[in-house]
Amino acid sequence: MKTVMTRHGAFQTGSVKVCVPLCESNIEQLSNACAQLPRDVDVVEWRMDYMQARKQEDWLDGLTVVRNGCADRILLATWRSQREGGVQEQSLADYVGLYEQVITSGWADLIDVELFTKEECVVHLVEFAHRHGVKVILSNHDWQATPTNEAMMIRLQAMQRMGADLVKLAVMPHDVQDVYRLLQVSSEYSADPNACPLISMAMGEMGFLSRLCGEMSGSIMTFATFTQASAPGQLEWRKMKHLLELFHEGYRGEAL
């Protein structure tokens, strides 16, 4: 699997980063949350769709607050659509325009673009981001079910073909077999030395195992709660970080 370098850190096999989402609805709340960010948080995701703003400049003000609060941590800027779990919607033109401003600001290390956005817009944003030194996560979130193994693999491979630096797949399991299938597809995809770094998870309480065993299944980042959860099944970030350390010791044979 490829190593991806951002301005503030690298994503690579064998190292699972913990990402905490900031889901505050206004600048004051965002500023307070940033002031409390612990030093050992790996990645901060600013969920822009949570913020109530009147114009795009308000989101850029929020981005400045988050960047200043993040210091040298990796910053991921995300607008999640309602169809994939976001809290508000905007037009496609506004979606593209906001991401263009985020990219040109120079504050974000990565952006998250949904695979099922209009294809020409995805291609444009990937190319635009790369011209400005910003990495791109192409993502898909299925809140209803866990697709077939073939469908999951097709989506991951489509993300890679469209120029993703990292690929992300989140699914909703209905039974433990769905969780196992997600882990199987993750492992198969990550086994390709030319694959993009993968972020994968099964959501909800049933999917917790998938958030923990990324080092084994090939997923290089997991999401954990700081101020509030952005998806079901996220554990408090300190607990998640501790469990990942224990898993690493056991998986690498370092446990006592």
Side-chain angles (χ1 to χ4, degrees), residues 11 16-22 40-46 74-76 78 110 137 168 199 211 220-226 230 234-235 237 240-241 244:
F11 293 91
V16 180
K17 295 187 183 299
V18 176
C19 178
V20 298
L22 296 180
D40 49 348
V41 165
D42 301 315
V43 183
V44 176
E45 179 186 39
W46 181 35
I74 298 172
L75 172 56
L76 164 63
T78 298
L110 309 104
I137 298 173
K168 180 186 178 189
I199 304 165
R211 297 180 181 274
I220 49 81
M221 189 165 77
T222 191
F223 291 75
T225 302
F226 174 55
S230 60
Q234 292 176 359
L235 193 66
W237 80 272
M240 189 76 248
K241 201 168 184 70
L244 286 173

Side-chain angles (χ1 to χ4, degrees), residues 76-97:
L76 164 63
T78 298
W79 180 282
R80 182 69 62 232
S81 70
Q82 287 182 322
R83 70 176 179 273
E84 297 205 14
V87 298
Q88 60 178 312
E89 203 60 81
Q90 62 177 339
S91 69
L92 184 58
D94 286 342
Y95 176 87
V96 172

Side-chain angles (χ1 to χ4, degrees), residues 158-169:
M159 295 174 198
Q160 182 162 329
R161 285 196 307 272
M162 295 178 75
D165 298 292
L166 299 93
V167 298
K168 180 186 178 189
L169 180 65

